Short mmCIF file of all heavy atoms in Angstrom, two decimals:
data_model
loop_
_atom_site.label_atom_id
_atom_site.label_comp_id
_atom_site.label_asym_id
_atom_site.label_seq_id
_atom_site.Cartn_x
_atom_site.Cartn_y
_atom_site.Cartn_z
N GLN A 1147 168.71 87.59 26.20
CA GLN A 1147 168.37 86.31 26.81
C GLN A 1147 169.38 85.99 27.90
O GLN A 1147 170.59 85.92 27.65
CB GLN A 1147 168.35 85.19 25.77
CG GLN A 1147 167.83 83.87 26.29
CD GLN A 1147 167.79 82.79 25.22
OE1 GLN A 1147 168.61 82.77 24.32
NE2 GLN A 1147 166.81 81.89 25.32
N SER A 1152 163.74 82.82 28.87
CA SER A 1152 163.16 83.09 27.56
C SER A 1152 163.78 84.35 26.95
O SER A 1152 164.60 85.02 27.57
CB SER A 1152 161.65 83.26 27.70
OG SER A 1152 161.05 83.33 26.43
N ARG A 1206 162.04 90.15 10.18
CA ARG A 1206 160.74 89.67 9.72
C ARG A 1206 160.53 90.12 8.29
O ARG A 1206 160.52 91.31 7.99
CB ARG A 1206 159.62 90.21 10.60
CG ARG A 1206 158.27 89.62 10.27
CD ARG A 1206 157.35 89.64 11.45
NE ARG A 1206 156.11 88.95 11.17
CZ ARG A 1206 155.42 88.28 12.08
NH1 ARG A 1206 155.83 88.24 13.31
NH2 ARG A 1206 154.30 87.69 11.74
N THR A 1208 158.27 88.80 4.54
CA THR A 1208 156.94 88.30 4.21
C THR A 1208 157.07 87.13 3.25
O THR A 1208 157.95 87.10 2.42
CB THR A 1208 156.06 89.38 3.55
OG1 THR A 1208 156.74 89.88 2.40
CG2 THR A 1208 155.82 90.51 4.52
N TRP A 1214 157.03 85.86 8.38
CA TRP A 1214 157.92 84.90 8.99
C TRP A 1214 159.05 85.63 9.68
O TRP A 1214 159.59 86.59 9.16
CB TRP A 1214 158.50 83.96 7.92
CG TRP A 1214 157.47 83.11 7.27
CD1 TRP A 1214 156.74 83.42 6.16
CD2 TRP A 1214 157.02 81.83 7.68
NE1 TRP A 1214 155.88 82.40 5.85
CE2 TRP A 1214 156.03 81.42 6.76
CE3 TRP A 1214 157.37 80.98 8.73
CZ2 TRP A 1214 155.38 80.19 6.88
CZ3 TRP A 1214 156.73 79.76 8.84
CH2 TRP A 1214 155.75 79.38 7.92
N THR A 1215 159.43 85.17 10.85
CA THR A 1215 160.52 85.77 11.61
C THR A 1215 161.67 84.80 11.72
O THR A 1215 161.48 83.66 12.15
CB THR A 1215 160.05 86.18 13.01
OG1 THR A 1215 159.01 87.17 12.89
CG2 THR A 1215 161.19 86.78 13.80
N GLN A 1219 172.24 84.27 14.84
CA GLN A 1219 172.90 83.25 15.66
C GLN A 1219 173.13 83.69 17.10
O GLN A 1219 173.48 82.89 17.96
CB GLN A 1219 174.25 82.86 15.04
CG GLN A 1219 174.19 82.50 13.57
CD GLN A 1219 174.50 83.68 12.68
OE1 GLN A 1219 173.99 84.80 12.87
NE2 GLN A 1219 175.33 83.47 11.68
N TYR B 1317 159.83 77.49 18.07
CA TYR B 1317 161.25 77.63 17.79
C TYR B 1317 162.04 76.60 18.59
O TYR B 1317 161.67 76.24 19.70
CB TYR B 1317 161.73 79.04 18.14
CG TYR B 1317 161.24 80.10 17.19
CD1 TYR B 1317 160.03 80.75 17.40
CD2 TYR B 1317 161.99 80.45 16.07
CE1 TYR B 1317 159.58 81.72 16.52
CE2 TYR B 1317 161.55 81.41 15.19
CZ TYR B 1317 160.34 82.04 15.42
OH TYR B 1317 159.90 82.99 14.55
N GLN B 1319 165.94 75.91 20.05
CA GLN B 1319 167.19 76.61 20.33
C GLN B 1319 168.18 75.67 20.98
O GLN B 1319 167.89 75.05 22.01
CB GLN B 1319 166.95 77.82 21.23
CG GLN B 1319 168.20 78.66 21.45
CD GLN B 1319 167.96 79.86 22.35
OE1 GLN B 1319 167.12 79.81 23.26
NE2 GLN B 1319 168.68 80.94 22.12
N GLY B 1324 171.05 81.01 18.19
CA GLY B 1324 169.76 81.68 18.12
C GLY B 1324 168.65 80.68 17.87
O GLY B 1324 168.90 79.55 17.42
N LEU B 1327 163.28 78.57 13.52
CA LEU B 1327 161.86 78.30 13.30
C LEU B 1327 161.67 76.83 12.93
O LEU B 1327 162.29 76.32 12.00
CB LEU B 1327 161.34 79.19 12.17
CG LEU B 1327 159.88 79.00 11.78
CD1 LEU B 1327 158.95 79.39 12.93
CD2 LEU B 1327 159.55 79.81 10.54
N ARG B 1377 150.80 90.61 10.57
CA ARG B 1377 152.10 90.61 9.92
C ARG B 1377 152.95 91.72 10.53
O ARG B 1377 152.50 92.83 10.72
CB ARG B 1377 151.93 90.86 8.42
CG ARG B 1377 151.23 89.71 7.71
CD ARG B 1377 150.85 90.10 6.32
NE ARG B 1377 152.03 90.31 5.47
CZ ARG B 1377 151.95 90.63 4.19
NH1 ARG B 1377 150.78 90.83 3.63
NH2 ARG B 1377 153.03 90.80 3.48
N GLY B 1379 153.96 91.90 13.49
CA GLY B 1379 153.76 92.05 14.93
C GLY B 1379 154.88 91.42 15.73
O GLY B 1379 155.53 90.48 15.29
N GLY B 1384 156.78 82.08 24.94
CA GLY B 1384 156.56 81.32 26.15
C GLY B 1384 157.87 81.21 26.91
O GLY B 1384 158.92 81.67 26.47
#
Side-chain angles (χ1 to χ4, degrees):
Chain A
Q1147 187 178 33
S1152 188
R1206 187 154 186 148
T1208 56
W1214 295 90
T1215 298
Q1219 309 94 314
Chain B
Y1317 288 89
Q1319 185 180 32
L1327 178 65
R1377 293 169 67 179

